Amino acid sequence: MFETTFKNIDDILHKDAGCSSELDYTEQTSWMLFLKYLDDFEYQRAQESEMLGEEYRYIINRQHRWSEWAAPKDDKGHFDHNEAMTGDDLMDYVDGELFPYLKGFKARAASPNTIEYKIGEIFSEIKNKIQSGYSLRDCLEKVDELRFRSQEEKHELSHLYETKIKNMGNAGRNGGEYYTPRPLIRAMIDVVQPKIGDTIYDGAAGSAGFLCEAYDYLRNGGAAKKELSVNDLNTLQKHTFYAKEKKSLAYVIAIMNMILHGIEAPNVLHTNTLGENLKDIQPSHQHDVILANPPFGGKERKEVQQNFPIKTGETAFLFLQHFIKILKPGGRAAVVIKNTFLSNTDNAAIALRKELLENCNLHTVLDCPAKTFLGAGVKTVVLFFTKGEATQNIWFYQLDPGRSLGKTNPLNDKDLQAFVTLQKAFAGSEKSWSLAVDTLDAKTWDLSVKNPNVEDEVELRSPAEIIEEIIALDKESKAILASIRELL
């Protein structure tokens, strides 16, 4: 129903000079969607209050409500083109009045857990990039066609928004930064099996895909598929999902994504998770379940590294320390990380593997195939662990979908069915095996994925790789000869 509207909005933004990529399209669509959602949310609350004979206090002042400036209506409820601002007038209002007003909510809000604070935070971080007031007017009219007043409408919008996030991830060099494949997330959730009453945390939220999928899983009754009570629904809304995100765009998208999935006031903090000293994390800060795909390949500054007992510049290694610390004793975690973590020989990697094995039960390692994360350029594994008991045995599963993954052939739920089924009993198969920790080399704690069910094969390099190496060696030889000439 709404797919054509989304495509039309993208077409308008594509022609505007201020928007140049899928990242811009998603960012600009997000702030408009958010304000439209807020208007429908307030309308619904006002209707409910009226039925109860109560007065509803609007969050947004009348002149700045969507229905006043973005989509004014006439007496018959039709769009009023005579009242609607456009061109320079619209740009002056949005940039000079609306955004400053909305940004001010951050200072006026009672606490960070209120929707008022989220409004202020969003508009403190996001900017209107649309340069033409006529393009903006066209976008606003398209967004106004969308409705958030039923679960069916929200469900469809959430799917369309997920598609935008996926496209945005594919547009960037690091697809995994914004988009973790949903089949992989669902498999991780199936293994961890969160339940009502658990707190679920992602300290590197990105677009909040993990929390949205966990919400859908629990909203549908979890592993037991049980019907939720009113108290369960309240717990799910207010006391279940917690997240942190450093980047402004991802933070805004995370909030919008969670809202579209049905979480009305997301507990997402805009902060650098790694800026928190591990010593400052108290039991009251800890969580029952962690689901995360922290950024890999990044480098953190020396002052950030001082917050951690194991010093390293590798962002993912710092996040793993954070996750171990912020997990409650007995808590369960599923964390995506580069597969090189299992075998790196630097001191930090060895120390971190030792820490994980001695203080947590690393019961499962899922080895993901190449191109699981489009554009990421690295292979990954998923670590499943429980805090508070040492690891005795690790069950490995080597995921092989039997095809090369790519944009037109991504990972799907069927690819992960065997993993989820076999994992329940840590069963052996051609793709799965167990490793006893007491057989590991205590100097390296090497956990390399080595399937004992497959005979060692010599991996032949492609002709292109061989040619690249010949060219590199030729350049190196020329450089050496030039150095020798200078000495003669």
Side-chain angles (χ1 to χ4, degrees):
M1 181 168 63
F2 297 136
E3 189 171 0
T4 303
T5 302
F6 267 68
K7 286 180 179 177
N8 289 339
I9 293 167
D10 278 356
D11 287 342
I12 295 165
L13 293 173
H14 179 68
K15 295 169 187 171
D16 188 85
C19 301
S20 58
S21 71
E22 286 282 356
L23 276 72
D24 291 331
Y25 305 161
T26 307
E27 178 186 44
Q28 296 305 297
T29 304
S30 293
W31 73 257
M32 288 184 276
L33 273 175
F34 180 78
L35 292 179
K36 170 63 174 138
Y37 160 79
L38 199 59
D39 196 63
D40 282 5
F41 173 84
E42 296 223 78
Y43 174 82
Q44 193 172 345
R45 289 294 184 269
Q47 294 286 94
E48 291 170 0
S49 296
E50 189 177 332
M51 288 175 65
L52 295 169
E54 299 171 354
E55 185 180 352
Y56 177 73
R57 290 186 61 189
Y58 279 84
I59 298 168
I60 305 293
N61 288 348
R62 186 177 187 86
Q63 70 269 29
H64 297 307
R65 289 177 205 157
W66 176 273
S67 50
E68 292 291 320
W69 69 271
K73 304 291 195 299
D74 60 24
D75 294 338
K76 295 181 180 179
H78 299 135
F79 192 92
D80 191 339
H81 288 277
N82 293 323
E83 289 294 320
M85 290 181 286
T86 192
D88 291 342
D89 289 342
L90 179 59
M91 295 300 289
D92 289 344
Y93 167 73
V94 169
D95 294 334
E97 293 184 46
L98 180 66
F99 270 54
Y101 165 74
L102 296 170
K103 181 179 177 180
F105 272 98
K106 187 174 179 179
R108 298 191 295 269
S111 80
N113 294 326
T114 60
I115 195 163
E116 287 87 352
Y117 187 89
K118 303 302 177 194
I119 294 168
E121 188 83 297
I122 286 171
F123 288 93
S124 294
E125 301 300 336
I126 209 164
K127 290 181 175 63
N128 171 34
K129 290 184 179 177
I130 302 169
Q131 291 188 5
S132 165
Y134 299 100
S135 295
L136 179 55
R137 166 49 54 204
D138 290 343
C139 285
L140 293 171
E141 291 184 28
K142 294 299 179 187
V143 171
D144 193 58
E145 296 172 6
L146 306 173
R147 293 286 179 273
F148 298 81
R149 294 179 185 176
S150 73
Q151 279 303 119
E152 291 75 17
E153 288 167 339
K154 287 181 183 178
H155 185 70
E156 183 178 352
L157 282 167
S158 70
H159 277 283
L160 289 168
Y161 196 68
E162 284 278 353
T163 302
K164 290 190 73 64
I165 296 169
K166 184 177 181 180
N167 292 339
M168 185 179 72
N170 294 343
R173 284 188 299 170
N174 186 354
E177 182 175 352
Y178 293 105
Y179 189 81
T180 303
R182 297 317 185 237
L184 179 61
I185 293 178
R186 287 191 284 270
M188 292 164 68
I189 291 169
D190 282 339
V191 171
V192 173
Q193 293 194 352
K195 58 186 184 297
I196 297 291
D198 285 339
T199 59
I200 303 172
Y201 172 74
D202 184 353
S207 62
F210 283 96
L211 301 187
C212 290
E213 288 292 341
Y215 174 84
D216 289 344
Y217 172 87
L218 290 171
R219 184 67 184 82
N220 292 318
K225 302 292 182 188
K226 71 162 191 169
E227 190 172 339
L228 303 187
S229 67
V230 173
N231 285 340
D232 290 340
L233 291 170
N234 185 61
T235 298
L236 196 58
Q237 273 290 339
K238 298 179 180 178
H239 310 294
T240 300
F241 302 103
Y242 298 86
K244 294 173 185 170
E245 174 52 46
K246 178 182 177 180
K247 294 190 175 180
S248 300
L249 175 56
Y251 168 79
V252 173
I253 290 168
I255 287 179
M256 194 66 240
N257 202 18
M258 291 174 76
I259 283 171
L260 284 172
H261 276 79
I263 305 166
E264 292 178 355
N267 296 311
V268 185
L269 292 180
H270 183 212
T271 184
N272 180 6
T273 303
L274 302 181
E276 183 178 9
N277 195 308
L278 254 59
K279 294 176 182 176
D280 296 334
I281 296 176
Q282 302 299 316
S284 60
H285 302 154
Q286 293 177 322
H287 297 281
D288 300 289
V289 172
I290 289 171
L291 297 164
N293 172 20
F296 30 75
K299 297 295 179 186
E300 287 294 340
R301 301 184 309 276
K302 291 288 185 183
E303 60 267 28
V304 172
Q305 296 179 38
Q306 297 309 309
N307 292 325
F308 299 86
I310 300 172
K311 306 292 186 289
T312 172
E314 171 57 59
T315 305
F317 291 5
L318 297 177
F319 265 108
L320 188 54
Q321 291 181 71
H322 171 80
F323 291 140
I324 293 170
K325 178 69 176 181
I326 208 165
L327 191 62
K328 285 182 181 178
R332 298 100 65 208
V335 178
V336 180
I337 199 166
K338 283 194 300 185
N339 72 340
T340 51
F341 164 73
L342 300 177
S343 58
N344 276 2
T345 56
D346 59 284
N347 292 336
I350 293 169
L352 190 50
R353 287 196 295 270
K354 184 174 186 286
E355 163 83 9
L356 183 62
L357 293 171
E358 289 184 347
N359 294 308
C360 300
N361 178 15
L362 177 63
H363 55 80
T364 300
V365 173
L366 171 62
D367 182 41
C368 298
K371 297 182 183 177
T372 295
F373 293 88
L374 299 178
V378 296
K379 281 198 68 179
T380 56
V381 293
V382 185
L383 309 177
F384 296 84
F385 56 91
T386 303
K387 183 175 173 178
E389 53 186 87
T391 307
Q392 303 297 324
N393 292 285
I394 307 169
W395 184 77
F396 286 82
Y397 186 90
Q398 198 162 36
L399 183 60
D400 179 10
R403 65 186 190 284
S404 178
L405 300 178
K407 280 187 182 180
T408 57
N409 200 4
L411 203 65
N412 61 53
D413 289 297
K414 190 176 179 181
D415 294 328
L416 288 142
Q417 280 179 357
F419 161 71
V420 173
T421 301
L422 292 170
Q423 195 278 335
K424 288 178 171 60
F426 302 111
S429 70
E430 288 184 359
K431 297 178 183 178
S432 60
W433 65 97
S434 292
L435 174 70
V437 170
D438 60 14
T439 64
L440 295 176
D441 183 344
K443 291 182 181 177
T444 63
W445 302 100
D446 192 310
L447 296 173
S448 300
V449 176
K450 297 172 185 173
N451 189 343
N453 305 313
V454 177
E455 291 183 16
D456 290 339
E457 296 179 1
V458 177
E459 189 175 337
L460 299 177
R461 293 182 297 164
S462 68
E465 288 176 315
I466 295 170
I467 291 168
E468 284 293 325
E469 185 175 348
I470 291 171
I471 292 170
L473 289 170
D474 189 43
K475 286 180 180 176
E476 190 178 331
S477 298
K478 286 179 180 177
I480 292 169
L481 288 171
S483 299
I484 293 171
R485 279 199 187 98
E486 289 177 4
L487 295 172
L488 296 175

